[in-house]
Amino acid sequence: MPAPEVELSEVWRQLAGRDHEPLLAGLLAGYREPHRRYHTTTHVRWVLRHITHIAAHGEPPTDLPAVQLAALYHDVVYDPRSADNEARSALLAGLAAVALGWPPLRRQLVERLVLATAGHTPHDIDEAVLVDADLAILGAAPGDYAAYVRAVRGEYAHVADDAWRKGRAAVLRGFLTRPQLFATGAMRTAREAQARTNLTTELAALADRAR
């Protein structure tokens, strides 16, 4: 089993014990789909690590296990041609919470957290921790950010170059117009400045290729 899968399995078993191995197998299978380049277990592993980092730096979520379960499932459904990936992932996350015996309100929290990764506009600390962890790649070192961009482009290989440039540029401009990219102080301190540099650099490169 690759290292990211081992790490995800460890987090899963902390949440679920060893009584729900078929659910874990299904979760890992989702992230093994061959069309994935970025939205893999490696991405989820880093999301989980960033959640731990944020929590350790003075901004713990109110329900860490719920945030971790949402992180495990937030990209389990990922079809680049579909607009309802987060909704379908949230449904599976909610079903997992039910299987773990979590009460309805906690299941609803898990589902809401997964849905928050669609618009990346958090409304409370639990959403902020997950969304910031999901967006951490934006503030990665330039080489890692470039690898992320190439991987996402690979997932959208079915999109023509001109359409990709226009769509991607719109996403980048949307992020850059935000007063803050990250909602937690830990991530703003660690990654905000680099994220703005990365996004601005990519946007300029897209404009150059359009000429």
Side-chain angles (χ1 to χ4, degrees), residues 123-149:
H123 298 96
D124 60 33
I125 184 59
D126 290 341
E127 291 184 7
V129 171
L130 178 58
V131 168
D132 275 13
D134 191 29
L135 292 180
I137 188 62
L138 300 183
D144 293 333
Y145 181 83
Y148 145 74
V149 173

Side-chain angles (χ1 to χ4, degrees), residues 142-157:
D144 293 333
Y145 181 83
Y148 145 74
V149 173
R150 289 192 299 271
V152 172
R153 181 66 181 105
E155 291 176 337
Y156 283 83

Side-chain angles (χ1 to χ4, degrees), residues 70 86 98 123 158:
E86 290 84 5
V98 171
H123 298 96
H158 61 282

